[in-house]
Amino acid sequence: VIKAVAKVNGKGASNEASITVGKAKPIADQVTPAIPKEKTPVENPTNLTKEEKTVRNILINVASKKQLIYYSDLCKTANLRLDMSIPADRGKIGEILGHISRYEHENGRPLISSVVVSRSMEQGDGFFKLAEELGFGNWKKLKNGKMFEYDMINKAHNFWSK
């Protein structure tokens, strides 16, 4: 039995889920690149825009504390002036997070956007669609299976908290 408990920004809100798993390897382990034992500086930080660097630093801080952050709180903290009730703004934050996670993946690190969740404690479809593009499997199966995001959150937490 795997039990996942998530606290958002260390606040009282939490969500628990229990899943019974056989001997199968976690989904994120089936395709995940080798994670470096030590955190190395990114080779070319100019691949990210100033806005993306700001968001990435916030996500690293959240992951290093083994926490999660709501999309809306991320937008406020990063001064993005995006409103999550507006579809175009949700698309914009998805674009930013997708680029950051693709960048992290290309540099052998976990998908750090896994630590960003909605108020219902879920990642958006874009997270799973990116995972599919990166070779992790069919996005709908990843989303419906629920294990992929837990695995990736744990990988991000473990990588950045050391």
Side-chain angles (χ1 to χ4, degrees):
V1 175
I2 295 175
K3 186 174 182 180
V5 179
K7 289 198 181 222
V8 179
N9 281 344
K11 297 178 184 167
S14 67
N15 196 12
E16 289 188 27
S18 294
I19 298 171
T20 303
V21 182
K23 294 182 181 179
K25 223 176 175 185
I27 293 170
D29 283 341
Q30 294 175 15
V31 186
T32 304
I35 305 296
K37 287 189 170 96
E38 294 181 29
K39 292 185 269 298
T40 54
V42 291
E43 289 179 28
N44 184 1
T46 60
N47 285 339
L48 298 176
T49 66
K50 183 178 178 184
E51 188 175 66
E52 290 167 343
K53 288 177 191 175
T54 299
V55 170
R56 179 179 177 270
N57 287 336
I58 293 166
L59 297 182
I60 290 170
N61 185 46
V62 168
S64 72
K65 295 176 184 174
K66 294 192 172 193
Q67 296 178 342
L68 301 174
I69 188 168
Y70 293 127
Y71 287 98
S72 55
D73 291 346
L74 174 61
C75 291
K76 287 177 194 165
T77 305
N79 296 314
L80 296 178
R81 297 187 181 135
L82 297 175
D83 181 343
M84 294 299 92
S85 67
I86 300 171
D89 284 359
R90 289 195 305 269
K92 176 68 175 162
I93 191 64
E95 223 174 85
I96 292 168
L97 292 171
H99 192 231
I100 292 167
S101 271
R102 181 179 302 280
Y103 178 75
E104 292 299 301
H105 180 77
E106 289 170 358
N107 284 282
R109 294 182 290 271
L111 306 181
I112 196 163
S113 62
S114 63
V115 302
V116 186
V117 294
S118 66
R119 295 284 172 184
S120 61
M121 300 300 288
E122 296 178 333
Q123 290 83 2
D125 287 352
F127 172 76
F128 299 99
K129 289 176 181 178
L130 174 64
E132 180 177 60
E133 287 176 30
L134 298 175
F136 288 100
N138 177 276
W139 78 270
K140 288 183 182 179
K141 287 182 181 177
L142 294 174
K143 182 176 180 174
N144 292 334
K146 292 293 181 198
M147 285 306 301
F148 178 76
E149 65 261 40
Y150 294 140
D151 292 342
M152 200 53 70
I153 289 168
N154 285 330
K155 287 181 181 301
H157 283 169
N158 291 337
F159 181 81
W160 290 107
S161 66
K162 292 178 182 174

